[in-house]
Each structure stands twice: as structure tokens, then as C-alpha cells.
Amino acid sequence: RRLAFSGYSIVPPLGAGWERENPPGTDVVFEHAGLAPGSRVLLVAAAEPAPRHYATIKQFLDDMIEREENEAEPRRFHVLQESTSLASEVGQYCVRTSATAEDRASPGKPVLDATRLTCLHPTAPGWMISVAYTEIHPKGAPSPDLAAEGERFVGSGRFFDRL
């Protein structure tokens, strides 16, 4: 069953162990303790006003790249892999970002894997919708089943006219 928010919907995680939260600034967060000690998985869906009007797809892509770079916290995280690309199969103004980074500030230097799909709403481009999956886990101990659930969650987003 889908969860509907203003202008979009997602499918919540299906497996056991997920807890739903509704922190400020998001529409919904699902959290899982992960499979390895010290692991944590978050699934987040949120709508927010777009930071500006985008006349071209390139402007939107460039802003999303800059946003990822600004959120990277280079003193804390050592980026091992990152990519940002248009997700035109989802929508004209959609960008998929993914990154893997080592958390230098935490004991044992756990790894953070993150994927986010960010789109301007197709009929209300003043709104930006983000659906994301993040896992923090010990080096060499990711949770493939939870990663698959995260990818399914990110891919579940659907748009409808904003209310």
C-alpha cells in the first residue's frame, strides 16, 4: 500500500524491523537497526520548496551537484565513490546521486552508503521531492537485503497533481 503526501507517494519498506518516524522537515522516515552491530539504515521522503526557478535541466543538475558537494562534510567523511546523473527515466527534472564514504569521526571508521533521487514536481516545479536511502555500517559489513529494500523505496516514488 502506498503512502500519499502532497503531490507524491511512496511504498513503505516491506520487511520486518522498520520503525516509522515523522521528524520535522520530512514527510516520513523509516529506520532499521541494520544487520551488523553498529549498523543503521534510514529511508527518507520529503518535499520542500525548490531553492529557485530552473530554466534548464543543466541548471538543476549543476545545483544538485553543488548541493551534494556542500553536504559532503570533507573533514568528517572521506569520499570513496560518488556519482550524480540525470534520471530522465523518472522525470525530466530528476537527478540521482549516490555516494560511499568513510566516516573518519566515528570509531572504526564505518562506511556510509547513500542514494537519493531528487525531482522537481512535474506539475508544480516550485516543489522539490527527495526520496533517499542511507546505510551506515562497519567496513566490509553492508546489508545487501536492506540495500535492495532501500533501492526499491527510492524507486517507488510516484507523482500526482499537488493538492
Side-chain angles (χ1 to χ4, degrees):
R1 84 190 198 304
R2 300 188 76 78
L3 294 178
F5 305 102
S6 185
Y8 77 103
S9 66
I10 52 94
V11 175
L14 303 174
W18 293 97
E19 293 184 24
R20 181 178 175 168
E21 301 172 10
N22 295 84
T26 69
D27 288 317
V28 69
V29 172
F30 295 96
E31 184 172 359
H32 194 288
L35 302 180
S39 294
R40 183 172 170 223
V41 180
L42 294 175
L43 307 179
V44 180
E48 62 183 313
R52 66 185 183 105
H53 170 76
Y54 296 98
T56 67
I57 295 168
K58 183 175 180 344
Q59 284 179 343
F60 183 64
L61 176 62
D62 289 347
D63 267 17
M64 294 304 101
I65 291 170
E66 183 178 338
R67 176 181 172 175
E68 287 300 309
E69 289 171 354
N70 290 338
E71 291 179 358
E73 297 184 55
R75 290 178 187 229
R76 178 175 177 181
F77 293 102
H78 173 225
V79 177
L80 304 171
Q81 173 276 325
E82 65 182 333
S83 68
T84 302
S85 60
L86 290 172
S88 54
E89 72 281 2
V90 178
Q92 184 177 10
Y93 282 83
C94 289
V95 171
R96 177 181 284 273
T97 57
S98 65
T100 299
E102 183 180 72
D103 184 351
R104 294 185 264 206
S106 296
K109 297 183 181 175
V111 173
L112 173 101
D113 293 315
T115 297
R116 177 168 46 195
L117 180 68
T118 303
C119 300
L120 292 182
H121 192 281
T123 61
W127 284 91
M128 197 163 62
I129 311 298
S130 293
V131 183
Y133 154 75
T134 303
E135 179 181 8
I136 299 169
H137 58 82
K139 266 186 206 174
S143 306
D145 291 347
L146 295 178
E149 185 72 36
E151 287 295 331
R152 190 196 59 72
F153 177 78
V154 169
S156 77
R158 299 292 179 269
F159 298 110
F160 55 85
D161 287 340
R162 286 187 61 84
L163 303 175

